[in-house]
């Protein structure tokens, strides 16, 4: 038996990412007595500033935005009962193709081995039994999400640790429902953008390729409140528009692809810790 508790480590790119894709599992497993560790790689400085001012616009102060978002992240972690928050504090790289991608100190510009070495130290400290991050495309092509995947997989190779490893995803059937709900809650008279609709259709995976379906319905309220804690980014967090009850109905299952396992737990799974307890 190990002399440390069962531990879940989630590696995310920005403040608020922890709530969107893993808020349910963080809350659920914390309630079950699992030690939860959140690693947030960037400072979120490319998010909206006070009053909704956008990056690159007059009055947008990345340092002030980062400070504000750090406080919001702490509030989100309190809601989700995250046991340990670790921040790598790289500069937010912004969306793919933005000038901030190549700014000094940006996460995207950071050598993978450098970020991986820092993450490896945390892995050796916490000895996670389960590690969760994004897939190789960062789920939707965001440079910081891609980099989070890269440093996570490299850190695991550096440490030689063999936790169960999962990449977040969404079933295509759910993406269809998202599209319907987005039209329902979108601006009146606003026609869906065909390019956006086509792009959404390519996000996620066919249902049969998803290995792990975790019921987090009981923790939907916490997940909603964690997202709401990131108030400065509310304009960009579509899910807040639908209200707590509808949100919980739609977001009550979190889905993953298992990419590393030594337990032999049968697939599909309903528990990230299947085979470990």
């Amino acid at each position: 038996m190990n002399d440390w508790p069962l531990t879940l480590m989630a590696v995310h790119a920005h403040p608020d990412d922890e709530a969107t894709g893993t808020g349910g599992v963080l809350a659920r497993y914390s309630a079950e007595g699992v030690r939860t560790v959140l690693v947030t790689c960037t400072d979120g400085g490319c998010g909206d500033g006070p009053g909704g001012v956008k990056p690159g616009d007059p009055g947008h102060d990345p340092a002030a935005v980062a400070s504000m978002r750090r406080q919001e992240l702490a509030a989100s972690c309190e809601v989700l009962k995250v046991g340990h928050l670790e921040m790598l504090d790289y500069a937010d790289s912004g969306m793919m193709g933005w000038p901030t991608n190549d700014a000094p100190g940006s996460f995207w510009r950071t050598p993978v081995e450098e970020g991986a070495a820092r993450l490896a130290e945390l892995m050796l400290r916490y000895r996670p039994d389960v590690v969760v991050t994004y897939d190789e495309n960062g789920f939707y092509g965001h440079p910081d999400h891609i980099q989070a995947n890269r440093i996570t997989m490299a850190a695991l190779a550096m440490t030689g640790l063999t936790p169960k490893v999962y990449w977040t995803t969404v079933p295509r059937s759910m993406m269809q429902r998202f599209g319907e709900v987005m039209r329902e809650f979108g601006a009146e008279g606003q026609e869906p953008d065909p390019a956006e609709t086509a792009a959404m259709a390519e996000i996620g995976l066919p249902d049969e390729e998803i290995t792990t379906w975790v019921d987090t319905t009981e923790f939907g309220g916490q997940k909603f409140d964690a997202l709401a804690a990131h108030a400065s980014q509310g304009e960009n967090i579509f899910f807040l528009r639908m209200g707590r009850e509808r949100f919980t109905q739609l977001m009550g299952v979190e889905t993953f692809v298992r990419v590393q396992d030594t337990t032999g737990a049968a697939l599909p799974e309903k528990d990230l810790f299947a085979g470990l307890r």
Side-chain angles (χ1 to χ4, degrees), residues 7-23 25-27 30 34-42 69-89 119 122-123 125-126 128 130-134 148 152 168 226 230:
T7 299
L8 167 64
M9 175 179 282
V11 183
H12 281 292
H14 313 97
D16 76 27
D17 290 334
E18 80 291 338
T20 306
T22 58
V25 293
L26 286 168
S30 178
V34 171
R35 179 172 61 171
T36 53
V37 181
L38 170 63
V39 180
T40 301
C41 297
T42 80
R69 298 193 71 183
R70 187 183 189 101
Q71 295 175 39
E72 292 174 341
L73 178 59
S76 172
C77 286
E78 186 172 348
V79 168
L80 298 174
K81 307 303 180 188
V82 170
H84 303 270
L85 171 61
E86 300 285 352
M87 299 194 69
L88 300 186
D89 265 336
L119 182 57
L122 295 175
M123 288 181 172
R125 182 190 310 168
Y126 289 108
V130 171
V131 173
V132 176
T133 192
Y134 316 98
T152 299
T168 58
H230 296 280

Side-chain angles (χ1 to χ4, degrees), residues 15-17 20 44 46-49 51-55 60 65 68-69 72 92 95 98 140 182 227 230-241:
D16 76 27
D17 290 334
T20 306
C46 285
D48 287 359
V53 61
K54 303 296 181 184
H60 186 277
V65 171
M68 174 177 59
R69 298 193 71 183
E72 292 174 341
D92 189 340
M95 299 298 286
W98 287 13
Y140 66 97
M182 287 179 74
L227 275 172
H230 296 280
S232 68
Q233 310 306 306
E235 180 183 331
N236 302 319
I237 302 176
F238 160 76
F239 300 111
L240 294 175
R241 301 180 200 173

Side-chain angles (χ1 to χ4, degrees), residues 174 177-178 181 184-185 215-221 223-224 239 242-254:
M174 182 65 73
R177 291 177 62 193
F178 284 159
V181 172
E184 178 183 345
F185 286 90
D215 185 354
T216 60
T217 306
E218 182 181 345
F219 304 93
K223 182 170 178 173
F224 184 87
F239 300 111
M242 64 183 71
R244 184 193 306 264
E245 183 176 351
R246 187 70 179 277
F247 173 86
T248 299
Q249 293 172 351
L250 187 66
M251 303 287 285
V253 176
E254 292 182 350

